[in-house]
Amino acid sequence: MLTLTEIKTTDPNYEFVETLLHTSFPVEERRDDDRQRHHTDHNKSFHCYLATDKHTRVGFITLWDLNGFYYAEHLATSPELRNKGYGKGIVEALKNMCKGIIILEVERPEDEMSIRRINFYRRCGFYLCTRNYIQPPYRKGGLELPLYLMYTGTENIDNEYLRIKDEIYGQVYEVL
């Protein structure tokens, strides 16, 4: 059974999470370590969850509890455990834990990997919103990334799109 356990940087498993974050996401798709650690330990809206299957560490997910919805920021499984259903298990555990709307960002479907990722989230019950969405840079001098949002927990986000985008921009990326 897959379990999500919230951890802080003092947890012995945090190094596993941080290493997996570094190996799974390029530097432009994550904040610097000091800021990430600060959010993990001090931001009441931000949660870092270790995903385990019994005693095996399988991955992690970071989550923001925002104004009326949840934003899943990073999700990764250990490279040696990929393609074994753990990613889907993490998403299902997240959906069981978070009742309501869950939002996440995905690359636009421009190559095989981005198409596969979108289809993975579709199989997990998410819908693709193709409205123009630009991810602000995580770092000073960084590049913006053209992405799409995906969502679950509601039939559509059309009426809430601007509010959701503004909330993510303001709380997660600290811009507006």
Side-chain angles (χ1 to χ4, degrees):
M1 168 136 184
L2 197 70
T3 304
L4 297 181
T5 305
E6 186 169 9
I7 63 171
K8 302 293 183 188
T9 61
T10 54
D11 190 294
N13 293 300
Y14 189 79
E15 184 178 344
F16 165 82
V17 169
E18 189 169 77
T19 299
L20 188 54
L21 178 67
H22 290 179
T23 58
S24 301
F25 295 92
V27 69
E28 60 271 3
E29 292 181 18
R30 57 185 163 82
R31 66 185 53 80
D32 66 66
D33 291 342
D34 288 342
R35 195 77 185 132
Q36 186 77 7
R37 291 175 192 141
H38 173 80
H39 283 311
T40 300
D41 289 338
H42 303 292
N43 189 325
K44 292 180 182 175
S45 297
F46 182 82
H47 307 277
C48 179
Y49 293 98
L50 174 70
T52 55
D53 184 3
K54 297 183 178 137
H55 300 294
T56 303
R57 299 180 301 192
V58 300
F60 77 93
I61 188 164
T62 58
L63 182 73
W64 292 81
D65 185 350
L66 299 175
N67 185 19
F69 66 96
Y70 299 95
Y71 168 68
E73 185 175 25
H74 293 106
L75 181 157
T77 57
S78 292
E80 64 274 8
L81 297 175
R82 290 184 182 149
N83 299 312
K84 296 183 179 181
Y86 285 115
K88 184 174 183 176
I90 292 170
V91 173
E92 291 303 317
L94 174 71
K95 288 169 63 177
N96 287 333
M97 182 176 70
C98 300
K99 302 302 180 196
I101 300 169
I102 302 171
I103 304 287
L104 53 85
E105 297 169 341
V106 291
E107 295 95 349
R108 293 188 181 179
E110 297 171 347
D111 60 30
E112 182 184 348
M113 187 52 93
S114 57
I115 292 167
R116 286 180 60 197
R117 192 168 290 116
I118 288 169
N119 288 334
F120 164 76
Y121 285 115
R122 280 186 167 143
R123 288 190 304 275
C124 291
F126 281 78
Y127 300 97
L128 184 66
C129 175
T130 57
R131 291 182 69 169
N132 191 40
Y133 178 85
I134 303 295
Q135 180 192 64
Y138 272 104
R139 300 159 189 272
K140 196 169 211 143
L143 299 174
E144 296 177 333
L145 295 173
L147 302 175
Y148 284 140
L149 295 179
M150 293 192 79
Y151 62 93
T152 190
T154 186
E155 290 184 20
N156 68 62
I157 59 169
D158 293 343
N159 294 333
E160 296 291 317
Y161 176 80
L162 291 177
R163 184 187 68 77
I164 288 169
K165 180 181 77 83
D166 288 348
E167 188 78 13
I168 293 170
Y169 276 25
Q171 296 298 315
V172 176
Y173 297 104
E174 301 173 348
V175 298
L176 264 183

